[in-house]
Amino acid sequence: MTSQTLREARKYEETSEKLIGKEERPDFHLTPRTGWMNDPNGFSYYKGRYHLFYQYYPYESKWGPMHWGHAVSSDLLHWEYLPCALAPDEAYDRDGIFSGSAAVLPDGRQLLMYTGVLKEHQERDIYREVQTQCMAVGDGIDYEKYEQNPVLDQRDIPEGSSRFDFRDPKMWMKADGTYACVVGNRPADGSGQILLYESADGFQWKFKSILVSNHDRFGKMWECPDFFELDGKWVLLTSPQDMLPEGFEYHNGNGTLCLIGDYDEENGSFKEMQNQSVDYGIDFYAPQTVAAPDGRRIMIGWMQNWDACGIRSPEEPWFGQMSLPRELSLKDGRLYQRPVREFDAMRRNKIEYADVAVSGVVKLDGIKGRKVDMELTVRPEGGQELYQKFAVRFAQDDTYYTSLSFRPRESILKVDRKFSGSRRAIIHQRRSLVNTADGELKLRIILDRFSVEVFVNDGEQVMSAAMYTRQEADGISFFADGTANIDVVKYELE
């Protein structure tokens, strides 16, 4: 039976969606059907299509009681909206359906696992959210909540751990047909930990181990964990809250963390070997991955930063967008990311320039647009002294632009959107240390109306940022202090 709460959400989104024009959205980044979107949920491949659910409040373009929005795609780039999948309509989840994941049952039905939220009165005017893990089963459109929810609650967490910070289950089926999941939690020291659970049937879950403990190294609470095998190692992705910066690797606030190491499945223990950021730009959080049918590991994230939600007016009909889906690989102990290969089929009208000397500002014929895939190599001009700075500006007109600038002597790449049209004093720039040999750097810059994603050195690093500059600002220009030499290949995207 569909609840009244879910019926209302479905009716509302169907009507409201019609008021948003195609040109008012990105072309190939998923946005909410209407209203608010945050974390990707239940990223999965089911019945021949990719399914992506998302944290969703249909009624306003700001955070509210969370639902699960739902979209499907055959190529990860062109999405079709399905009706809202879950609504906060039970006693144990009436204050929100938080993040979670999806798997397939042996009988072919889709299994969803999510965090149910219930506000509990503490004292005076203080309420706290009790978080439990719950299941729902469905056919890819309609889902029924498990009658014995919640399946994990405060009785299933280690002693001293918080029942108020116990969320975001990421579930997978193991080789033997049983299930496992990781959940973010906060231990007694107030820092983060990732808990591991196992289930024979996907419904009855039991605690296995504390997979990883933060010990106050990377931020505090660890949200939205994901855990998978990649190129012979195991990778844990998680999003720590309240980070302190560490050089140019980790920045203040909510960040993304990748731990690479070895996993002892029998004991449920993980041995970390390397750590790094997942995205070095301004807007990227809560990534989730799926194993594609061809074996690729594909990741998508919320292309937004909690501290910068004021960049867009709540009067707008939608807020929040997903990143480009990215193929993951490990190389030299490092996580590499590239746009999914399906993306190359969207390239049209190639324009190419080689060996262009840039000193001061240079514009090139045919290099403009807001839906663009541009490959750019910059290097010193032969026989010239190393340039001081190189920059590319885009989404540009006489008033606005967003820029990417590189200082080869410090090996620092910076994304800066302070002139993008925002009227808020939020985070507008972020810097990253990049690998460069003698001032040479390789960039792939992808624009889609309201965002930029920069893949550095064939995916060694990525920098993502949202920008809501008016669409008429479609200029692209290059600048060098000193003389730089560039190769440019630019495609329009359809």
Side-chain angles (χ1 to χ4, degrees):
M1 278 290 291
T2 312
S3 70
Q4 178 71 15
T5 312
L6 186 58
R7 282 199 304 274
E8 282 172 8
R10 287 179 164 189
K11 192 174 161 189
Y12 182 86
E13 65 179 0
E14 201 178 329
T15 312
S16 301
E17 176 196 12
K18 298 182 176 120
L19 306 175
I20 307 173
K22 190 178 181 306
E23 301 293 310
E24 292 175 63
R25 298 182 184 272
D27 206 47
F28 47 89
H29 289 76
L30 181 66
T31 52
R33 194 168 178 181
T34 180
W36 166 279
M37 160 195 279
N38 60 288
D39 312 353
N41 297 154
F43 191 21
S44 51
Y45 189 79
Y46 179 65
K47 289 186 176 174
R49 295 195 291 185
Y50 292 96
H51 286 248
L52 187 61
F53 304 84
Y54 53 89
Q55 290 286 278
Y56 182 40
Y57 185 58
Y59 302 109
E60 285 184 275
S61 296
K62 60 185 191 194
W63 198 88
M66 283 292 110
H67 297 55
W68 271 29
H70 191 187
V72 289
S73 174
S74 52
D75 66 357
L76 294 157
L77 298 162
H78 300 94
W79 295 92
E80 172 199 336
Y81 292 113
L82 292 183
C84 178
L86 298 173
D89 53 17
E90 293 287 347
Y92 51 81
D93 65 17
R94 67 171 186 230
D95 293 308
I97 307 276
F98 279 12
S99 292
S101 50
V104 181
L105 289 166
D107 63 12
R109 292 178 302 162
Q110 193 175 33
L111 181 66
L112 306 182
M113 188 173 194
Y114 68 90
T115 298
V117 179
L118 179 62
K119 285 183 181 160
E120 183 183 272
H121 185 245
Q122 302 291 302
E123 54 187 319
R124 295 192 296 277
D125 296 333
I126 298 169
Y127 284 83
R128 295 195 69 186
E129 295 172 345
V130 176
Q131 300 178 349
T132 57
Q133 312 319 315
C134 309
M135 314 303 300
V137 180
D139 57 4
I141 294 178
D142 295 306
Y143 297 86
E144 200 162 306
K145 293 178 184 175
Y146 181 47
E147 63 277 3
Q148 287 172 39
N149 277 342
V151 297
L152 291 172
D153 61 23
Q154 64 197 68
R155 294 167 296 193
D156 303 292
I157 55 178
E159 199 178 336
S161 297
S162 172
R163 62 197 180 102
F164 307 114
D165 287 306
F166 175 45
R167 58 182 173 272
D168 313 332
K170 178 66 198 291
M171 156 179 66
W172 68 95
M173 187 189 266
K174 294 168 26 176
D176 64 2
T178 65
Y179 299 85
C181 83
V182 284
V183 187
N185 181 233
R186 191 179 285 225
D189 73 357
S191 145
Q193 65 185 8
I194 304 298
L195 306 179
L196 179 66
Y197 293 86
E198 290 180 332
S199 171
D201 61 359
F203 294 96
Q204 319 294 321
W205 291 86
K206 61 178 193 293
F207 175 74
K208 169 81 173 173
S209 63
I210 297 173
L211 183 70
V212 188
S213 294
N214 182 12
H215 301 304
D216 269 327
R217 294 167 302 156
F218 305 106
K220 291 288 184 184
M221 171 66 185
W222 281 3
E223 298 195 296
C224 304
D226 196 347
F227 190 53
F228 51 89
E229 195 172 3
L230 184 67
D231 299 338
K233 290 285 175 197
W234 279 78
V235 174
L236 176 75
L237 303 178
T238 186
S239 295
Q241 296 181 314
D242 308 315
M243 293 271 271
L244 288 171
E246 276 181 42
F248 292 103
E249 189 64 32
Y250 300 107
H251 55 73
N252 307 64
N254 295 341
T256 48
L257 173 67
C258 168
L259 300 177
I260 301 166
D262 288 329
Y263 175 46
D264 179 341
E265 193 173 336
E266 203 171 317
N267 298 321
S269 64
F270 175 70
K271 186 181 168 202
E272 303 168 34
M273 291 169 178
Q274 269 97 12
N275 69 78
Q276 66 174 88
S277 269
V278 181
D279 192 290
Y280 294 81
I282 304 173
D283 294 304
F284 192 84
Y285 196 68
Q288 195 169 89
T289 71
V290 63
D294 58 11
R296 287 177 295 165
R297 179 60 63 168
I298 297 168
M299 176 181 77
I300 201 162
W302 181 44
M303 202 161 44
Q304 187 54 49
N305 171 336
W306 279 113
D307 291 328
C309 290
I311 192 170
R312 193 161 160 85
S313 161
E315 306 303 307
E316 298 287 350
W318 62 267
F319 178 80
Q321 52 188 325
M322 294 302 175
S323 72
L324 260 183
R326 305 169 184 178
E327 292 181 24
L328 302 184
S329 59
L330 293 182
K331 190 172 149 190
D332 304 326
R334 184 169 179 84
L335 184 73
Y336 273 68
Q337 306 167 50
R338 302 177 69 117
V340 281
R341 59 196 65 165
E342 288 86 344
F343 182 65
D344 292 349
M346 293 176 62
R347 292 172 151 192
R348 301 278 184 279
N349 306 331
K350 180 180 182 179
I351 294 179
E352 194 165 3
Y353 289 89
D355 279 329
V356 178
V358 178
S359 184
V361 177
V362 170
K363 291 185 178 178
L364 298 173
D365 274 354
I367 306 288
K368 62 178 210 159
R370 288 290 284 273
K371 292 194 297 175
V372 165
D373 184 356
M374 183 166 70
E375 293 174 356
L376 177 65
T377 302
V378 57
R379 65 181 89 77
E381 177 75 3
Q384 299 270 350
E385 198 182 342
L386 184 61
Y387 58 93
Q388 292 284 341
K389 176 183 168 182
F390 171 79
V392 53
R393 292 174 176 168
F394 41 87
Q396 182 175 26
D397 61 11
D398 293 340
T399 310
Y400 304 118
Y401 66 86
T402 295
S403 73
L404 198 62
S405 59
F406 175 53
R407 295 187 175 273
R409 291 161 204 258
E410 292 107 72
S411 299
I412 285 174
L413 183 66
K414 178 171 85 172
V415 62
D416 187 338
R417 63 169 179 209
K418 67 175 167 289
F419 296 108
S420 68
S422 161
R423 295 177 185 271
R424 291 276 175 267
I426 56 175
I427 300 154
H428 283 317
Q429 56 183 52
R430 197 152 269 156
R431 297 179 299 167
S432 175
L433 208 53
V434 295
N435 279 324
T436 176
D438 307 319
E440 182 163 331
L441 191 67
K442 195 171 175 187
L443 303 171
R444 184 176 178 186
I445 300 168
I446 295 172
L447 302 175
D448 183 12
R449 290 204 177 106
F450 302 100
S451 66
V452 58
E453 286 165 279
V454 183
F455 294 81
V456 184
N457 293 332
D458 296 316
E460 187 176 39
Q461 285 166 292
V462 191
M463 298 176 85
S464 307
M467 49 180 197
Y468 293 98
T469 315
R470 62 187 182 205
Q471 295 302 302
E472 297 76 28
D474 65 351
I476 296 175
S477 64
F478 306 94
F479 165 84
D481 177 358
T483 307
N485 183 292
I486 62 171
D487 300 335
V488 185
V489 182
K490 175 243 171 189
Y491 300 88
E492 289 170 19
L493 295 167
E494 297 191 0

